Amino acid sequence: MKIPLKKILLYSALVLLGLVIVFLVCRLMLNLSAVGHALSSVVGALRSIVLGCVMAYLLYPLTRFAEQFLLFHHVKPKSARTLSTAFSTIVLLTLIFLFAYFIIPQMVVNLPPLIQGLPEMIQSFSKNLSDFLVEHGQSTEIIQETLDKVAGMFQSWLQDDPLSALSNVMERVAAAAVGVLNFIIGIIVMAYVLMSRDHFVGQGKKLLFALCRKRTTCDRILKHLRVINRIFTNFVSGKLLDSLIIGLLCAACLAILRIPYAGLISTIVGITNIIPVFGPFFGAIPSAFLLLLTDPYKCLVFLIFIVILQQVDGNIIGPKILGDSTGLSAFWVLFSLLLFNHLMGFWGMLLGVPLFASFYYLLREFINSRLKKKGLPLATQDYVHVAGIDENGTISYMPPPSIEFHPLFRGSNSLRAKIAQWLQHPTPPHRKSRDDTDKPDD
């Protein structure tokens, strides 16, 4: 049998391609460190672009609102696009300036005295604790030794080698300079993305329609992408607004209660509140420890206040702002936080909920589409008491499990009546069986 030349060339090309792939995989396996270094360098080079795209995504609702407002007042489309982008950029820079103006001075004023006075606070706290234990007849040696070691380690850290401290400061200054440069480039990228967003969206849809064979597939993908975009937008924007309100409310209440380090603690509480579920604890624990060293009574007042504040946030402010933006129950929110924290660390705790909500939505749509093809109900409640489904698609249900209860005191069927009946007519003694009666007595 003669094999056509085209098949020979095709098989040869496939074999050659397979050998090339095997060679590349072997090279990668033998140089994993070099590959990791190359990937990290690529990610570092694209960090400013990613930052710019993220900022553009967050500012898109504001930019779109400003552009629609200008178009409504008969501004030319090109001018409206430019002015709306400039307006969003100015809003972003203003927020950064306000944060730096109000928060950084608080940190500069509070942190150095706090760091310098922390050993004295620890010593004072240990003395008060030791006096309390002595009054109640308890030993204080272990506590005193532990606190002395902590204070000594902190003092040695403050009095470290000047050269190493200087080199550490220089490294931090260089890292801060690189971060500022990436941020500036990110703002430029953000402005470019906001100005050309229609062009990028058109390119993405053009690629999608070119790759998909059926138009219905493209429509389905675009529908799912819109829903995922709505999940992310509602969650991120709502969580940022919620954290801002909580931070301002915390600052006002702490100032009224005369809690020390009110600005610093409010900043910590507001920033950590971005993390769902665990954020309030992350912000409250270090703040409470700081107040415990300063004034235990103020620490107790702060803990009571933070519990009340988080209840107000979780039951009133949060639901009003976020609503049901993710469509997840409390269990799945906790599950997504634990899972993505393990996979992605801090960023996983920030974005784990909308990521898992998107996956949950896609899985739910897939399951519902399969059930529709089989003619089965879609509501989850309809499957709670399902016993089985026959070949014709008929669902059979089983009765829900029930427990029979009897009244305790009233009625002839009550527990008290049964106990009284048993006391009046106890169980008769054990009767001999027929085999026992047939046996002769000794």
Side-chain angles (χ1 to χ4, degrees):
M1 181 178 177
K2 185 177 180 181
I3 301 176
L5 181 59
K6 289 184 178 180
K7 287 189 176 182
I8 295 175
L9 294 176
L10 178 61
Y11 294 154
S12 302
L14 291 176
V15 171
L16 182 61
L17 180 61
L19 293 175
V20 171
I21 292 175
V22 170
F23 174 75
L24 292 177
V25 170
C26 293
R27 291 280 295 178
L28 291 176
M29 295 298 292
L30 293 175
N31 296 283
L32 287 178
S33 59
V35 173
H37 181 70
L39 290 177
S40 62
S41 62
V42 171
V43 171
L46 298 178
R47 188 174 300 169
S48 56
I49 296 178
V50 174
L51 178 62
C53 293
V54 170
M55 290 190 296
Y57 182 79
L58 294 177
L59 290 177
Y60 169 72
L62 179 63
T63 308
R64 184 173 178 273
F65 174 80
E67 184 178 358
Q68 293 296 325
F69 178 80
L70 294 174
L71 291 175
F72 178 77
H73 289 82
H74 307 290
V75 179
K76 294 182 180 180
K78 189 174 182 179
S79 301
R81 177 64 58 87
T82 305
L83 291 175
S84 61
T85 303
F87 173 73
S88 300
T89 306
I90 292 172
V91 169
L92 176 63
L93 295 177
T94 303
L95 291 176
I96 295 173
F97 173 76
L98 291 176
F99 179 83
Y101 182 78
F102 288 104
I103 303 302
I104 292 181
Q106 289 286 335
M107 298 177 67
V108 171
V109 170
N110 292 326
L111 282 180
L114 177 63
I115 294 175
Q116 294 293 334
L118 191 58
E120 184 178 351
M121 292 180 186
I122 295 175
Q123 291 291 342
S124 176
F125 177 76
S126 63
K127 182 179 182 303
N128 295 331
L129 183 60
S130 300
D131 294 340
F132 176 80
L133 293 176
V134 168
E135 290 178 359
H136 292 79
Q138 301 293 329
S139 176
T140 61
E141 295 180 358
I142 298 177
I143 297 176
Q144 188 64 37
E145 291 177 1
T146 303
L147 293 175
D148 289 341
K149 287 181 180 179
V150 172
M153 292 172 60
F154 192 79
Q155 287 284 359
S156 63
W157 176 72
L158 290 177
Q159 300 173 359
D160 202 357
D161 184 14
L163 294 179
S164 62
L166 181 61
S167 62
N168 192 12
V169 169
M170 294 300 294
E171 291 178 359
R172 293 183 179 180
V173 169
V178 173
V180 172
L181 179 61
N182 288 332
F183 180 74
I184 295 174
I185 298 175
I187 291 180
I188 297 173
V189 172
M190 178 199 72
Y192 184 81
V193 171
L194 290 176
M195 288 288 295
S196 306
R197 60 181 184 271
D198 293 339
H199 183 69
F200 290 132
V201 171
Q203 285 181 338
K205 292 182 179 179
K206 180 180 178 181
L207 178 63
L208 178 64
F209 280 93
L211 295 177
C212 295
R213 295 182 180 181
K214 297 181 180 179
R215 295 183 180 179
T216 55
T217 305
C218 297
D219 295 338
R220 196 178 301 113
I221 292 175
L222 291 176
K223 173 192 171 185
H224 295 332
L225 288 177
R226 292 189 191 99
V227 175
I228 292 173
N229 175 60
R230 185 168 66 250
I231 291 173
F232 269 88
T233 302
N234 293 342
F235 179 81
V236 174
S237 59
K239 202 61 184 175
L240 290 175
L241 180 60
D242 176 53
S243 300
L244 177 62
I245 294 174
I246 291 299
L248 295 176
L249 187 61
C250 181
C253 294
L254 292 183
I256 294 173
L257 295 173
R258 300 182 182 275
I259 302 294
Y261 308 108
L264 181 62
I265 293 175
S266 302
T267 304
I268 296 174
V269 170
I271 293 176
T272 55
N273 193 70
I274 299 176
I275 303 174
V277 181
F278 298 112
F281 301 101
F282 292 157
I285 290 174
S287 303
F289 177 73
L290 174 62
L291 293 175
L292 180 64
L293 297 177
T294 306
D295 189 347
Y297 174 74
K298 295 292 185 181
C299 175
L300 179 61
V301 173
F302 170 75
L303 289 176
I304 297 173
F305 163 73
I306 208 69
V307 169
I308 297 174
L309 179 64
Q310 293 306 325
Q311 291 298 318
V312 172
D313 179 36
N315 297 301
I316 300 175
I317 300 176
K320 290 292 184 182
I321 296 176
L322 294 174
D324 193 16
S325 58
T326 59
L328 297 177
S329 63
F331 170 79
W332 290 118
V333 170
L334 181 62
F335 177 83
S336 61
L337 286 172
L338 296 176
L339 175 64
F340 283 92
N341 177 47
H342 178 73
L343 296 177
M344 302 170 57
F346 175 74
W347 292 105
M349 297 197 73
L350 288 179
L351 302 177
V353 174
L355 284 174
F356 188 82
S358 303
F359 171 76
Y360 188 87
Y361 161 76
L362 294 176
L363 181 61
R364 184 178 65 234
E365 290 295 314
F366 171 75
I367 293 174
N368 289 341
S369 64
R370 300 287 295 179
L371 292 175
K372 284 181 181 179
K373 291 181 181 180
K374 297 180 179 181
L376 298 174
L378 303 182
T380 305
Q381 195 64 27
D382 295 336
Y383 292 89
V384 175
H385 301 296
V386 169
I389 302 176
D390 58 12
E391 296 179 355
N392 298 325
T394 305
I395 302 176
S396 59
Y397 294 91
M398 60 181 179
S402 61
I403 302 175
E404 184 179 359
F405 291 97
H406 299 281
L408 295 177
F409 302 105
R410 295 181 180 179
S412 60
N413 198 27
S414 64
L415 181 62
R416 186 177 70 86
K418 289 185 177 182
I419 294 175
Q421 184 181 3
W422 180 79
L423 291 175
Q424 294 176 1
H425 303 285
T427 305
H430 177 68
R431 295 180 179 179
K432 294 183 178 181
S433 62
R434 183 175 297 177
D435 296 337
D436 295 335
T437 56
D438 294 340
K439 292 180 180 179
D441 296 332
D442 296 334

